[in-house]
Amino acid sequence: MAARGVGLLTRVPLCAQGRGQVQRPIHRLLSCPGTVAADLRREEQTSGNVETGSADRLVQKRFSEVQKERREQAQRTVLINCPNKISEKKFLKYLSQHGPINNHFFYESFGLHAVVEFCQKESVASLQDATYTPGLGAEAAIPFRSRFFSVKLKTAENQPSERSNVCCTNQSPPTSRKIFELLCYAESIDDQLNTLLKAFQLTEENTKLRYLTCSLVEDIAAAYFPFCAIKPFGSSVNSFGKLGCDLDMFLDLDETRRLHAQKTSGNFLMEFQVKSVSSERIATQKILSVIGECLDHFGPGCVGVQKILNARCPLVRFSHQASGFQCDLTTNNRIALKTSELLYMYGALDSRVRALVFSIRCWARAHSLTSSIPGAWITNFSLTMMVIFFLQRRSPPILPSLDYLQTLADPEDECIIEGHNCTFTGDLNKIKPSGNTETLELLLKEFFEYFGNFAFNKSSINIRQGKEQNKPESSPLHIQNPFEISLNISKNVNQSQLQKFVELARESAWILQQEDKDRPSPSRNQPWGLAALLLPSVSNSKFLDKKRRKKPASERIKNLLDSIKGSNTENSRNTNGKRTVSTQA
Ligand code: GTP
Ligand code: MG
């Protein structure tokens, strides 16, 4: 029965994922030497280099270098809403009147959109100069010059007679069917973990779209705060982001603030006249409030704007409809940016890290251990910390402690934020690859064993030292914030959620052990290995095998699809941006 049910899944054509999704076309009309090649090299690094092992590490860029390059690239880029039928060739020819185009891609989100990256920033200004504000009939248009355009066909004769010939890149997570097909067709559990990573990780285009969205919001914020920067942080940039994850943005006002006097000659010091408020928090609230208003009233494509100013970390939440991202904008949150850099470092140090983190995140989501609704559950951020800690505890360690990374820091790496020491080396090439050669299969099994038996009642997870510490307070789960060390990032987790995590970890370890004994070879007709761990029935029974045999296959498959559907919509809230708020530690 089971075999028949899964067989049904495998007969679904691989291409049944909607209109014309293809593998990353990167077209060049006129080239800027080096840029595309660099993109493609990076793409190979991020998506191709996921084999098990640590000696295969390539020379990697610093986080700050990546951010700088991506931001500069985004500033030369525009977003264009296109008619459904458009000739790609004519469209590019038309745009290239304004200057050479480095690359472009199309995608669908509330209509067809093109992301077009010019070689020079001046081309954007030229395009803006040639663009007009439409009259909207009975409604009044608020004039606003941004880098988000609509292109219209001048006359009906211009319409291409053939159907639209553009290929759309995919910006959504893979369907549950696709994932189960891929996992069942994998050769080994290691292969399954790598497959899952490749299927869910952010694509080159999705990453570009994230930086572009930040850049568009930056244009709006800059109207009030010239020289501000909007920087993505969290899973969009820390290498642990799954397609469909939210876009965390940080409004950086350091350049606007200029806290330090410039060295000038003469006897005087010039200061800006400013208004003052009674605390940093109030300043943050006022700034975010005004940006929130602006996004709401004038931000093209920004809908469902909510100002959540009383949260521990005040934020503005909105949906950027044209990109499909749910965005959380914060300011005065520099430590979170530094945390993203730290996670990026850990993700890049060994190719097993990301594969393991993605699988654990998918596993947790499949069993409702995590949720897009804030509550007493474990967050993806906490799970990532747990995987990093586990990899620090291997023998020999796969990842170094944060304290060790601090010892490798150069003077330029020194970073103190609000009195917290956030110093660590930003140079990946300084860190020797680990001598540990354990397979992903073993690590997955051991992860479940380790946390299935961890002394949560007395020990704290501490990636700074890379070893357990005595718990300083009584929260069921204690994961020390790596920089604000008196804080617990999992303070929200209650005893019953922790218990659920522990039970599921034990059961999953047990399933993998049983599979080891019983499975002669991977089967394409039955969920096995990682696919079996994603089955929802696991959580409810210690006697999984018996239960599996009893339950009709059709029902199990339905449950399985429902559960994975849940994971695909992770972080996807409806476009009015409604979501409740979490408190951060
Ligand atoms: P997903 O959005 O779930 O894919 O992961 P994420 O890492 O982006 O998590 P989230 O959007 O919830 O938070 C964004 C970033 O804020 C994280 O990567 C952390 O840097 C930081 N952050 C999140 N939760 C906490 C917390 O509880 N304490 C602290 N100090 N920082 C947090
Ligand atoms: Mg996030």
Side-chain angles (χ1 to χ4, degrees):
M1 285 292 278
R4 212 170 62 215
V6 177
L8 269 178
L9 292 185
T10 57
R11 279 200 294 275
V12 174
L14 283 177
C15 57
Q17 277 205 27
R19 167 182 160 170
Q21 289 161 2
V22 292
Q23 294 291 309
R24 309 173 189 179
I26 297 191
H27 304 273
R28 291 169 84 186
L29 199 68
L30 287 161
S31 70
C32 298
T35 321
V36 170
D39 281 349
L40 291 174
R41 243 193 338 269
R42 188 179 308 116
E43 194 177 0
E44 273 164 23
Q45 279 185 20
T46 54
S47 59
N49 182 28
V50 288
E51 302 306 314
T52 301
S54 51
D56 53 356
R57 207 191 325 147
L58 302 170
V59 174
Q60 308 239 20
K61 285 189 180 160
R62 280 173 178 256
F63 180 76
S64 54
E65 288 171 326
V66 176
Q67 284 245 331
K68 196 170 160 218
E69 253 179 48
R70 292 273 188 196
R71 279 172 40 74
E72 189 277 325
Q73 187 178 56
Q75 283 160 2
R76 290 183 273 114
T77 306
V78 296
L79 181 59
I80 306 178
N81 178 250
C82 303
N84 266 338
K85 287 183 174 183
I86 190 163
S87 156
E88 184 170 6
K89 217 166 127 196
K90 286 183 190 162
F91 173 66
L92 293 177
K93 192 166 166 221
Y94 176 77
L95 288 175
S96 60
Q97 296 174 82
H98 302 284
I101 293 168
N102 195 37
N103 67 53
H104 76 281
F105 63 89
F106 290 93
Y107 69 94
E108 285 198 39
S109 169
F110 293 91
L112 182 65
H113 289 84
V115 170
V116 180
E117 181 195 326
F118 286 103
C119 288
Q120 289 132 12
K121 224 172 155 181
E122 295 72 45
S123 305
V124 176
S126 163
L127 178 60
Q128 282 173 326
D129 282 345
T131 302
Y132 73 101
T133 305
L136 295 178
E139 294 171 11
I142 301 174
F144 196 79
R145 280 169 70 109
S146 74
R147 280 182 288 138
F148 179 20
F149 305 88
S150 285
V151 66
K152 300 259 154 54
L153 300 165
K154 262 190 192 156
T155 56
E157 298 93 74
N158 275 354
Q159 298 224 10
S161 51
E162 77 276 22
R163 253 191 75 76
S164 170
N165 62 349
V166 301
C167 297
C168 284
T169 54
N170 179 31
Q171 307 298 329
S172 313
T175 62
S176 47
R177 284 182 181 213
K178 175 94 181 174
I179 284 300
F180 273 87
E181 270 171 29
L182 290 171
L183 293 184
C184 289
Y185 268 83
E187 305 263 299
S188 62
I189 293 185
D190 278 40
D191 193 17
Q192 286 186 323
L193 269 82
N194 282 324
T195 299
L196 197 77
L197 168 62
K198 281 189 179 175
F200 275 108
Q201 71 184 351
L202 303 184
T203 60
E204 171 66 14
E205 288 79 15
N206 196 268
T207 302
K208 280 187 170 163
L209 194 52
R210 284 170 189 269
Y211 277 87
L212 174 59
T213 306
C214 287
S215 186
L216 295 175
V217 174
E218 181 177 295
D219 287 352
I220 296 171
Y224 276 98
F225 303 105
F227 309 110
C228 74
I230 302 256
K231 297 176 176 170
F233 72 100
S235 61
S236 297
V237 296
N238 67 17
S239 79
F240 297 110
K242 276 164 66 185
L243 284 169
C245 70
D246 68 355
L247 173 53
D248 303 294
M249 301 175 169
F250 166 66
L251 169 65
D252 187 350
L253 292 171
D254 265 17
E255 264 306 299
T256 314
R257 262 197 196 108
R258 281 254 190 95
L259 287 177
H260 305 291
Q262 299 293 300
K263 280 185 189 144
T264 49
S265 55
N267 296 328
F268 301 99
L269 274 178
M270 295 298 283
E271 281 182 357
F272 287 111
Q273 281 280 348
V274 289
K275 279 201 167 186
S276 60
V277 287
S278 55
S279 69
E280 262 311 315
R281 183 173 168 83
I282 294 177
T284 299
Q285 288 169 331
K286 284 190 181 283
I287 293 165
L288 286 178
S289 177
V290 82
I291 304 281
E293 289 291 313
C294 241
L295 290 172
D296 197 13
H297 296 309
F298 314 124
C302 300
V303 300
V305 179
Q306 300 174 75
K307 297 194 276 180
I308 304 164
L309 304 178
N310 289 324
R312 193 189 90 84
C313 184
L315 73 149
V316 173
R317 177 165 288 163
F318 61 97
S319 295
H320 193 262
Q321 238 177 8
S323 62
F325 297 134
Q326 296 292 329
C327 307
D328 277 355
L329 173 66
T330 54
T331 187
N332 202 12
N333 190 16
R334 190 165 288 282
I335 290 186
L337 199 63
K338 207 62 194 166
T339 309
S340 303
E341 179 176 354
L342 180 66
L343 295 192
Y344 167 87
M345 294 277 298
Y346 278 126
L349 279 175
D350 189 290
S351 55
R352 289 166 288 185
V353 182
R354 295 176 63 232
L356 200 56
V357 169
F358 272 67
S359 293
I360 297 297
R361 282 184 171 203
C362 285
W363 167 83
R365 191 66 188 91
H367 297 291
S368 306
L369 283 167
T370 52
S371 166
S372 57
I373 306 159
W377 13 89
I378 298 177
T379 61
N380 279 331
F381 179 53
S382 295
L383 283 173
T384 308
M385 290 296 194
M386 289 169 96
V387 175
I388 290 171
F389 181 73
F390 163 74
L391 296 174
Q392 290 175 332
R393 301 300 294 148
R394 301 309 294 162
S395 179
I398 292 179
L399 291 176
S401 68
L402 174 55
D403 278 343
Y404 176 72
L405 296 182
Q406 196 173 322
T407 64
L408 300 180
D410 290 324
E412 82 219 37
D413 294 315
E414 198 186 313
C415 175
I416 309 287
I417 303 172
E418 293 155 20
H420 302 288
N421 191 347
C422 304
T423 305
F424 58 90
T425 181
D427 185 356
L428 283 154
N429 307 307
K430 274 190 170 180
I431 306 154
K432 281 207 198 97
S434 161
N436 182 310
T437 56
E438 287 167 324
T439 62
L440 280 169
E441 175 174 355
L442 181 76
L443 292 171
L444 184 66
K445 212 180 304 172
E446 295 278 313
F447 175 89
F448 291 131
E449 288 266 347
Y450 184 77
F451 283 113
N453 297 294
F454 191 82
F456 287 107
N457 57 341
K458 57 178 188 1
S459 300
S460 158
I461 292 164
N462 183 315
I463 69 156
R464 177 165 275 282
Q465 298 186 15
K467 50 185 187 230
E468 298 97 4
Q469 296 294 302
N470 287 335
K471 257 180 20 177
E473 37 113 329
S474 60
S475 306
L477 175 61
H478 193 279
I479 304 176
Q480 191 195 58
N481 182 319
F483 298 122
E484 292 167 278
I485 58 175
S486 62
L487 299 181
N488 172 12
I489 65 160
S490 50
K491 208 176 169 56
N492 60 313
V493 178
N494 66 18
Q495 189 58 45
S496 89
Q497 283 302 315
L498 178 63
Q499 195 55 36
K500 189 173 162 192
F501 171 87
V502 169
E503 276 167 21
L504 275 160
R506 286 182 187 166
E507 286 176 8
S508 296
W510 184 81
I511 290 167
L512 288 175
Q513 270 164 16
Q514 295 311 303
E515 290 225 349
D516 246 5
K517 286 187 211 143
D518 302 344
R519 194 184 72 232
S521 65
S523 156
R524 285 171 186 183
N525 295 320
Q526 177 119 22
W528 59 276
L530 184 56
L533 295 188
L534 300 179
L535 284 167
S537 53
V538 180
S539 59
N540 302 325
S541 172
K542 301 250 177 206
F543 307 102
L544 182 90
D545 263 351
K546 277 185 205 156
K547 195 170 176 187
R548 268 195 208 164
R549 268 182 238 125
K550 273 190 209 153
K551 219 171 187 178
S554 54
E555 194 185 325
R556 282 186 36 241
I557 300 304
K558 185 178 169 299
N559 289 345
L560 172 160
L561 290 176
D562 287 347
S563 129
I564 302 303
K565 217 179 281 165
S567 84
N568 284 344
T569 50
E570 178 168 22
N571 276 323
S572 70
R573 288 137 282 172
N574 47 29
T575 45
N576 66 11
K578 289 268 152 59
R579 197 178 76 163
T580 37
V581 193
S582 66
T583 48
Q584 294 185 348

